[in-house]
Amino acid sequence: MKKFAIIIPALALALASFAPNAEAATLPEIKGRFDSVEIKLDKVMNRFSDVIDRAEALGKDTTEAEALYNDAEAKREVAKSEVAELKVMLDGAEKMTPEIKAQAKVTKESLKDFKETMVEMHDRLKELFSKKPVADDGEPAEVGDDAE
């Protein structure tokens, strides 16, 4: 579960690093930040997919985590399309315009929605891995007991 300790801060950093501030960064720098965000979105999803697969292999009920994963996947696609739209706007721009700022705000909100779902999925998976197996009699299972 230490991997999660790395994923969430990395995602938060990615979200914070692209904040559209015309005074702080040039348009090419902002566009470059968005290029890395798309890659990070895919990386994070792949890591969560691996953890869900591992939980399934251990016989854990991943129904809720899978539902959150599907929700996150949909939000990732929305975020990626918003990022792509913003990048197109930045390509032809010489300076920050109100339209670019508005699109940057929409993009940031879609990325925040994605992050919130990822944090919730992280919490559910953390709970899955922290639960101790329970034997049929309701008592915590011993190492050799079969638990459901």
Side-chain angles (χ1 to χ4, degrees):
M1 292 308 295
K2 287 187 178 188
K3 289 181 182 179
F4 289 131
I6 296 169
I7 292 173
I8 299 302
L11 184 58
L13 179 62
L15 291 174
S17 69
F18 77 87
N21 185 344
E23 294 77 31
T26 65
L27 292 180
E29 288 172 338
I30 293 171
K31 186 175 182 284
R33 291 176 186 168
F34 281 109
D35 289 335
S36 66
V37 167
E38 288 180 329
I39 293 166
K40 288 178 183 180
L41 292 175
D42 292 336
K43 252 185 179 177
V44 168
M45 289 298 290
N46 290 338
R47 291 187 70 184
F48 272 104
S49 176
D50 292 344
V51 172
I52 290 172
D53 291 344
R54 195 167 5 123
E56 279 182 338
L58 293 172
K60 299 189 181 283
D61 180 16
T62 59
T63 308
E64 189 176 348
E66 288 173 0
L68 287 167
Y69 181 86
N70 293 335
D71 187 33
E73 215 167 34
K75 288 180 180 181
R76 175 187 63 172
E77 292 306 316
V78 169
K80 285 174 80 172
S81 69
E82 296 294 344
V83 167
E85 188 174 331
L86 182 60
K87 284 171 49 177
V88 167
M89 293 174 83
L90 290 170
D91 277 339
E94 294 180 17
K95 64 178 187 168
M96 189 66 76
T97 64
E99 293 83 15
I100 292 174
K101 287 182 180 182
Q103 180 59 36
K105 187 174 184 175
V106 169
T107 302
K108 185 176 181 181
E109 287 302 314
S110 68
L111 288 167
K112 283 173 73 175
D113 289 344
F114 172 75
K115 179 188 172 203
E116 288 169 2
T117 303
M118 297 304 288
V119 168
E120 187 176 349
M121 182 171 36
H122 169 262
D123 293 343
R124 296 302 156 261
L125 287 168
K126 191 174 178 181
E127 288 173 11
L128 271 180
F129 281 97
S130 67
K131 286 182 183 174
K132 295 188 187 242
V134 177
D136 292 334
D137 60 1
E139 294 294 321
E142 296 298 322
V143 176
D145 289 351
D146 289 333
E148 290 185 36

